[in-house]
Amino acid sequence: MCGIIGYTGPLNAKKILLDGLSQLEYRGYDSAGIAYFDAASKIQLVKKTGKVANLKEFCSRIQDNAHCGLGHTRWATHGDVTDQNAHPHQAGRVTLIHNGIIENYRELTRDYGLEGKLKSQTDSEVAAWVLDALYEGNPAKAIQNLLNHLEGSYGFCIMFADRPGEIYAVRNVSPLVAAYTHSGAIIASDLTALIPYTRRYFVLPEQQIVKLTAYQLTLYDKKGHPEEPEYLEVNWNMDAAMKNGFPHFMLKEIYEQPEALKNTILPRISKGLPDFTDDQIPDSVFETCDKIHIIACGTAMHAGMVARALSEPLLRIPVIVSIASEFRYEEPLINENTLVIVISQSGETIDTLAAMRLAKSYGSKTLSIVNVKGSTIARESDYVLYTHAGPEIAVASTKAYSVQLAALYMLICRMAFVRGKYSRDQSAAFLSSLLDVIPAMETMLSRKEEEKNLVTHLIQQSDTFFIGRGRDYAFSLEGALKLKEISYIHAEAYAAGELKHGTIALITEGVPVIAIATQERVFSKLISNVREVKARGAFVILLTKSSAVVEGNLADIHIRIPDVDDAFAVFPIAVILQLIAYYASLGKSLDVDQPRNLAKSVTVE
Ligand code: F6R
């Protein structure tokens, strides 16, 4: 949450900052601002509520050159959405941008007598004033001192009025990645802002200061001695972060799923079996555990729910799924024999990270499934399985979900093999079914007009129910989340058998019910539940496999997916659910990629 960028070098800093903010906008879009040294080495500040386009338009009227500056796009935590609360914040000689939350800002306000000085309601401005009070001409020393006073999470980029051309940065939990290129030094909260300039970058180690100038980038260890950064390479290219002819990132990312699945699955097949040798995950991790605990948030957690429904009956060990924000404050029943699987697209979600740290403190082995290379969760987990979805820009997660599923399916298959639940032939057959989902997803993508037409009824309603049983229920959780977050239609997922224990009271004439019925084992039960809602006037959208036999008048709309094995139906179903949400949002003329109140990468609690 909150996108931050800093640049110093020979190029046009204002352009780099504003372009970078457009790339980072998915991290927050309440307000945006930049600060830069002008030709007279004075710091200029421009900040505006609204989107980056608003700031860009305003900046286009300012004719001055800049080669060093900071930019910020905000997701509001402390303080309303106002120009004053927008970043950068200025306090005496200090100008800074911040991503995170300073928890002890009240105490600091009192201790440093800041009450009368603050121009905004933000915790970030408090940190700026404290830093100004500590600054005696040595930036690194003052920042180091500041860290001793702060509680909370932060990614700061800082300029000092008497240090033109220099940027200092430091972080705790909140992400920051940096690079030195032949055209200057750049730092940002996210790789997407760096890839137009370089693919070589490093993750700023926590509580270490980095100094950027046009000619040099210096990383200091915690004692203040220079240290060589650990550079990483990313294979994302600029195209991956552009819309490439699609009207929205979300639609583009939905279409990228078959490719993302290939990239995630194919390099990990060896001799017909899932193979994690290159990921350095030994079979002992799968052999020794007596329980699996999956931890994640939102869509990633829903991928975990599908994995649970698949793995528990197969592996015959308990598989538990926890919402990370709950798990982190519990006293979990886990130990050194528990395999904790942590799922996160960004690898930076604060609740997931905290939950993983808690799991480690219980001695459990942690295996993360992460999309962003070098992210905190990836670095801190004992093992990491990277998904290869490329950058996901739309706030609503789509391709990250299907690659998380693919990674989980491969892990489950390997586990079943090493634990003797699957023979070599059964494992190979499982993998072959997994690969079959790729053409099945392509088929659903080629029929997108079906989803486009079915939302006509949906978008006139205020509530929608998703129902399913077993795995279909797990799929429906994600369908409901996708619909509500981008179309603002209230959507709930229910285990179909649970409806008549209360919720069916809400089914009246025309209320949409999206029924997912892909699982042979519970198919007839689910169809009975569909009849029950139909009898109460529901507008039924039924999703089944092609070969399913249902009476003609049961559903108002019936969508059929290709006949994949039941265990794999989630993949083509995910495409339909994503497209339903996409077209519903479009049909209501909403901002598909940047829905209200949300932001990608939730780095605050
Ligand atoms: C919904 C969505 C969120 C994320 C959740 C976890 O479309 O994107 O629910 O799935 O915030 O994010 P990561 O996977 O980055 O930990």
Side-chain angles (χ1 to χ4, degrees):
M1 276 168 167
C2 294
I4 66 184
I5 180 164
Y7 168 79
T8 178
L11 305 180
N12 179 344
K14 267 167 60 188
K15 181 169 177 351
I16 290 178
L17 298 176
L18 292 169
D19 288 350
L21 289 182
S22 301
Q23 298 286 357
L24 294 170
E25 196 167 30
Y26 58 85
R27 297 184 69 100
Y29 27 87
D30 289 333
S31 60
I34 57 170
Y36 54 90
F37 284 99
D38 67 11
S41 295
K42 287 238 155 25
I43 295 181
Q44 300 297 334
L45 188 65
V46 191
K47 46 192 203 175
K48 290 265 152 249
T49 51
K51 297 214 167 187
V52 174
N54 208 19
L55 177 73
K56 269 188 171 167
E57 200 278 318
F58 191 82
C59 286
S60 66
R61 290 182 251 143
I62 307 170
Q63 298 299 325
D64 55 1
N65 270 333
H67 296 287
C68 174
L70 311 173
H72 186 276
T73 174
R74 178 170 186 245
W75 188 84
T77 52
H78 282 69
D80 304 342
V81 178
T82 61
D83 284 353
Q84 281 94 334
N85 288 340
H87 296 222
H89 289 287
Q90 280 190 313
R93 294 151 297 172
V94 170
T95 300
L96 65 67
I97 49 178
H98 172 218
N99 171 25
I101 292 185
I102 305 303
E103 287 162 8
N104 59 335
Y105 75 100
R106 277 201 195 89
E107 293 87 320
L108 291 171
T109 305
R110 183 196 59 217
D111 295 351
Y112 283 80
L114 302 178
E115 207 62 72
K117 284 184 169 175
L118 296 173
K119 297 181 283 277
S120 76
Q121 303 158 303
T122 66
D123 53 336
S124 315
E125 193 194 348
V126 172
W129 281 110
V130 175
L131 182 59
D132 183 60
L134 299 171
Y135 182 51
E136 291 169 346
N138 182 336
K141 200 170 155 203
I143 295 169
Q144 195 61 54
N145 204 350
L146 173 73
L147 303 192
N148 300 329
H149 292 74
L150 297 183
E151 284 166 27
S153 59
Y154 45 82
F156 287 122
C157 291
I158 308 159
M159 298 192 304
F160 293 85
D162 56 347
R163 296 282 182 152
E166 295 178 6
I167 294 172
Y168 294 82
V170 69
R171 75 179 192 98
N172 184 45
V173 186
S174 305
L176 277 178
V177 287
Y180 186 75
T181 74
H182 52 270
S183 17
I186 185 158
I187 185 157
S189 46
D190 214 324
L191 264 181
T192 44
L194 259 51
I195 50 176
Y197 311 100
T198 180
R199 294 198 197 154
R200 203 166 164 266
Y201 69 101
F202 68 94
V203 179
L204 181 60
E206 278 181 310
Q207 302 192 335
Q208 286 187 224
I209 297 167
V210 66
K211 175 183 174 184
L212 285 71
T213 69
Y215 312 103
Q216 210 174 16
L217 179 153
T218 317
L219 173 67
Y220 296 97
D221 68 15
K222 286 184 185 160
K223 293 197 176 109
H225 306 306
E227 175 184 293
E228 199 48 41
E230 259 181 57
Y231 274 93
L232 299 167
E233 292 264 347
V234 67
N235 58 3
W236 298 355
N237 56 29
M238 254 323 270
D239 272 7
M242 309 289 280
K243 286 190 194 147
N244 288 347
F246 283 89
H248 299 98
F249 279 112
M250 183 179 177
L251 191 62
K252 172 179 172 256
E253 288 162 7
I254 291 172
Y255 270 79
E256 282 172 346
Q257 291 181 105
E259 200 53 37
L261 247 68
K262 282 182 210 159
N263 294 339
T264 301
I265 300 170
L266 295 179
R268 297 188 170 110
I269 299 183
S270 170
K271 299 187 188 128
L273 289 179
D275 185 301
F276 302 111
T277 313
D278 289 348
D279 303 292
Q280 294 167 350
I281 308 175
D283 279 345
S284 56
V285 175
F286 307 130
E287 278 159 350
T288 52
C289 62
D290 59 15
K291 182 160 118 183
I292 298 175
H293 207 119
I294 301 176
I295 306 171
C297 297
T299 292
M301 193 266 294
H302 293 157
M305 295 288 282
V306 177
R308 195 204 74 80
L310 177 75
S311 57
E312 206 171 55
L314 172 61
L315 301 172
R316 306 305 300 160
I317 54 172
V319 182
I320 294 142
V321 182
S322 285
I323 297 170
S325 55
E326 291 293 314
F327 180 90
R328 63 179 290 191
Y329 295 111
E330 283 167 1
E331 289 172 35
L333 284 173
I334 56 170
N335 57 32
E336 55 285 355
N337 297 324
T338 312
L339 173 62
V340 171
I341 300 180
V342 175
I343 313 168
S344 176
Q345 187 283 128
S346 61
E348 301 291 351
T349 302
I350 190 96
D351 286 322
T352 312
L353 174 62
M356 185 178 82
R357 287 177 176 166
L358 180 71
K360 286 186 90 170
S361 75
Y362 277 71
S364 302
K365 283 267 166 301
T366 53
L367 188 161
S368 64
I369 296 177
V370 171
N371 196 42
V372 178
K373 209 170 165 182
S375 55
T376 313
I377 291 174
R379 281 180 295 111
E380 289 193 18
S381 54
D382 297 311
Y383 305 99
V384 56
L385 192 61
Y386 282 114
T387 51
H388 298 301
E392 193 180 61
I393 309 285
V395 165
S397 190
T398 53
K399 61 179 179 173
Y401 175 67
S402 43
V403 291
Q404 284 160 356
L405 287 168
L408 286 160
Y409 273 52
M410 292 191 86
L411 281 176
I412 293 165
C413 181
R414 183 80 201 177
M415 264 182 115
F417 177 67
V418 301
R419 295 172 78 97
K421 300 289 181 195
Y422 266 173
S423 66
R424 183 171 281 274
D425 285 352
Q426 283 172 307
S427 308
F430 182 97
L431 265 191
S432 147
S433 299
L434 181 59
L435 289 170
D436 285 347
V437 306
I438 297 172
M441 288 174 103
E442 280 163 346
T443 303
M444 295 325 296
L445 289 169
S446 69
R447 285 165 36 194
K448 73 174 193 311
E449 291 305 310
E450 284 180 47
E451 284 78 33
K452 198 171 179 176
N453 297 334
L454 74 78
V455 301
T456 321
H457 178 78
L458 215 59
I459 58 176
Q460 290 157 17
Q461 309 299 315
S462 51
D463 303 288
T464 294
F465 295 89
F466 287 73
I467 59 170
R469 282 172 176 256
R471 292 186 196 128
D472 283 331
Y473 168 57
F475 311 164
S476 64
L477 290 166
E478 178 57 8
L481 174 63
K482 215 82 307 169
L483 184 66
K484 70 183 117 183
E485 72 177 322
I486 60 168
S487 75
Y488 314 151
I489 297 170
H490 169 237
E492 292 303 332
Y494 275 91
E498 187 63 11
L499 266 189
K500 52 181 153 309
H501 298 285
T503 310
I504 202 162
L506 296 172
I507 305 294
T508 53
E509 198 60 39
V511 170
V513 173
I514 300 180
I516 309 178
T518 65
Q519 304 297 305
E520 188 52 42
R521 244 179 115 235
V522 284
F523 182 78
S524 58
K525 303 282 172 208
L526 195 280
I527 294 300
S528 302
N529 298 134
V530 174
R531 283 195 200 103
E532 288 158 10
V533 293
K534 188 74 192 149
R536 278 138 188 107
F539 182 89
V540 173
I541 298 169
L542 180 64
L543 314 183
T544 69
K545 296 209 286 192
S546 287
S547 53
V549 180
V550 286
E551 59 259 46
N553 58 357
L554 181 66
D556 296 276
I557 297 174
H558 186 175
I559 297 186
R560 293 173 185 271
I561 59 163
D563 275 331
V564 292
D565 184 290
D566 284 13
F568 300 85
V570 64
F571 293 93
I573 287 290
V575 173
I576 304 177
L577 299 177
Q578 293 161 354
L579 287 170
I580 289 176
Y582 173 78
Y583 285 116
S585 178
L586 204 64
K588 292 181 74 180
S589 306
L590 298 172
D591 191 336
V592 175
D593 285 337
Q594 294 176 347
R596 73 178 171 216
N597 303 342
L598 292 173
K600 199 128 186 116
S601 193
V602 184
T603 51
V604 294
E605 266 197 69

